[in-house]
């Protein structure tokens, strides 16, 4: 039997082990899952704890627990663990040994070889220390590879030709960004930059501060230090809230009997909005963007030279991170492969290549389309009632659930019309409408009441969409079977027909001039413009009553101009008149 070589991501916060089985990457699980927290401890009896159990006791018994040992690799340091002292290599070896045991249990045979990943910036000394740790754990380290190289390997296996890739890696305690060049089978790290003291732990810390501030205010406490056990619960709750906020606009934090004040139990109950959380972490994300530009500069490249961005590390699930990269690079970063696991997977692929195994490309279940709804907003700086807001983005692994908050547009709004679209166009009505429903009976009140839309797509392509008025819980939902099915041209036409009918238009309006393809495209555009124009007119009419005479007259004139231009199918004039009308609406609304 061939020697099995495992691939190991020996991380600062978490570690993983993977191997290739039947040409496919398997990330190995133990009873706690696929992620082994990089914590080592001893319990009150002196017995060894590795992973989750060690992490759980860290806050309460820091003197008996070691975390983030990777930061000390290559140093002549000693760390205390209970009664004894250990070198960084020895602590890392304990983690490696646990990973080795997990793999051996999985395959049912002894394993003594591994590929281990290290950050691109690791010095020779740090790499040597990693090899030594392997040896102590009973593993021959057949190769040390860079973490960004491993990520590129798993994403790009089988890629032919040249490509320049940016690997953005934001984990729990460290951040690295690397520019990687691929030329057929050769992967080279061209430049790398980062901060080994920046990561998701910092996001947790700002949330802990926010929770403590709220707790002190609610219970009239003054900067009293909460006891260690309460702090541990707050830290756990902060991380959980952070993870919820990656997929939902609000997270609630509830901890009963958190502590006592003057003998009275104190319960924690609060809500955190994603919007507020994003403000709290903005400076950290800014810092990562600066590093991105430094790495580009060091590689002698600019944003436009990058063909792809790969997301690595659990904290890259943060929407603010993704949207900032998207804005900066004008492309959606790739994250189809679990960002926590792709480095270990890449190490396993490298291990398989060394072992002479056949390696297949990694396949994951992803949605080939985006799904979303429509809202009022701006498109290219202009007001539009049909801004497409994709909740589930193309290439997201499924199953997935995402929710987003929307706001009522007018005072005493009675209902919200939820349209469900499949597609990528930033104008919602240019996508395919696959469902629609009305939530009626909203509570009376000013505009801006929160409506939470939620999209859940399962592995069978069934999409459940719900919308809920946050203040009252009033909700409605629909289920769309076969949401992922590719729409044939005939079905597309049917969908367009349905939308036109809703606006009382005939099909002939769309087909004018040019060849068939152009006609369809033009038709789509003029249809979209007509829909926008109608919505603008409606909006202007609603604002008329409260407008000054001068503004009202101007709006009446502009509405006429819009209607004339629509009647004469003059796209240029229509756009000009709509621009002017949007401007005045925008002015009146603000
Ligand atoms: P890693 O070191 O790559 O395993 O990343 C661990 C970090 O990712 C920790 O700070 C986690 O709290 C964070 N993390 C995991 N899942 C999410 C999520 N859904 N959204 C934001 N951060 C996450």
């Amino acid at each position: 039997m061939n020697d099995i070589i495992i691939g190991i991501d020996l991380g600062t916060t978490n570690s993983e082990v993977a191997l290739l089985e039947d040409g496919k990457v398997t990330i190995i699980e133990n009873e706690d899952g696929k992620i082994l927290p990089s914590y080592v401890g001893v319990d009150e009896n002196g017995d060894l704890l590795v992973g989750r159990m060690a992490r759980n006791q860290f806050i309460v018994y820091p003197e008996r627990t070691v975390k983030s040992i990777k930061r000390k690799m290559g140093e002549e340091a000693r760390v205390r663990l209970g009664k004894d002292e250990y070198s960084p290599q020895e602590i890392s070896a304990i983690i490696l040994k646990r990973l080795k045991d997990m793999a051996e249990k999985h395959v049912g045979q002894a394993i003594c070889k591994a590929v281990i990943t290290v950050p691109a910036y690791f010095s020779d000394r740090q790499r040597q220390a990693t090899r030594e740790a392997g040896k102590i754990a009973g593993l021959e380290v057949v190769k040390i590879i860079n973490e960004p190289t491993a990520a590129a390997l798993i994403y790009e296996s089988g890629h032919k030709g040249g490509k320049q890739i940016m690997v953005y890696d934001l984990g729990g305690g460290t951040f690295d960004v690397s520019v990687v060049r691929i030329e057929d089978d050769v992967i080279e790290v061209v430049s790398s930059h980062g901060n080994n003291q920046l990561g998701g732990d910092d996001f947790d810390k700002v949330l802990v501060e926010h929770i403590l501030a709220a707790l002190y205010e609610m219970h009239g406490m003054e900067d009293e230090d909460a006891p260690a056990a309460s702090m541990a619960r707050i830290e756990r709750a902060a991380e959980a809230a952070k993870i919820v906020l990656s997929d939902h606009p609000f997270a609630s934090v509830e901890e009963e009997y958190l502590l006592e004040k003057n003998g009275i139990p104190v319960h924690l109950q609060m809500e955190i909005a994603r919007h507020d959380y994003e403000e709290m972490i903005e400076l950290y994300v800014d810092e990562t963007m600066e590093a991105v530009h430094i790495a580009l500069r060091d590689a002698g490249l600019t944003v436009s030279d990058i063909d792809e961005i790969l997301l690595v590390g659990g904290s890259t699930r943060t929407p603010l991170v993704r949207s900032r990269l998207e804005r900066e690079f004008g492309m959606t970063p790739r994250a189809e492969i679990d960002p926590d696991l792709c480095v270990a997977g890449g190490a396993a692929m490298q291990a398989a290549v060394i072992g002479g195994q056949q390696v297949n490309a990694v396949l994951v279940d992803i949605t080939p389309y985006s799904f979303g709804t429509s809202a009022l907003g701006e498109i290219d700086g202009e007001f539009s009632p049909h801004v497409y807001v994709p909740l589930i983005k193309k290439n997201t692994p499924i199953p997935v659930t995402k929710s987003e908050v929307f706001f009522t547009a007018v005072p005493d709004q009675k209902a919200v019309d939820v349209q469900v679209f499949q597609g990528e166009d930033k104008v919602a009505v240019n996508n395919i409408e696959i469902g629609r429903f009305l939530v009626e009976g909203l509570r009376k009140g000013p505009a801006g009441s929160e409506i939470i839309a939620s999209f859940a797509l399962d592995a069978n392509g069934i999409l459940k969409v719900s919308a809920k008025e946050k203040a009252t819980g009033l909700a409605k939902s629909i289920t769309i079977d076969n949401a992922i099915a590719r729409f044939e041209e005939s079905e597309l036409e049917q969908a367009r027909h349905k939308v036109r009918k809703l606006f009382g238009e005939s099909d002939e309006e769309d087909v004018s001039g040019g060849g068939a393809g152009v006609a369809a495209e033009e038709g789509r555009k003029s249809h979209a413009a007509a829909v926008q124009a109608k919505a603008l007119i409606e909006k202007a009419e609603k604002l008329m009553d409260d407008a000054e005479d001068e503004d009202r007259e101007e709006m009446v004139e502009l509405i006429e101009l819009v209607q004339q231009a629509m009647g004469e199918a003059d796209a240029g004039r229509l756009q000009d008149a709509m621009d002017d009308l949007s401007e005045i609406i925008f002015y009146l609304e603000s």
Side-chain angles (χ1 to χ4, degrees), residues 475-489:
K476 196 157 172 190
S477 64
I478 54 168
T479 298
I480 302 159
D481 292 329
N482 229 356
I484 293 187
R486 181 179 286 282
F487 277 78
E488 298 299 335
E489 194 48 35

Side-chain angles (χ1 to χ4, degrees), residues 312-329:
V312 178
S315 303
T316 59
R317 294 198 183 88
T318 310
L320 185 64
V321 165
R322 295 186 179 196
S323 60
R324 285 293 293 278
L325 283 166
E326 202 161 331
R327 204 171 76 198
E328 207 95 359
F329 284 82

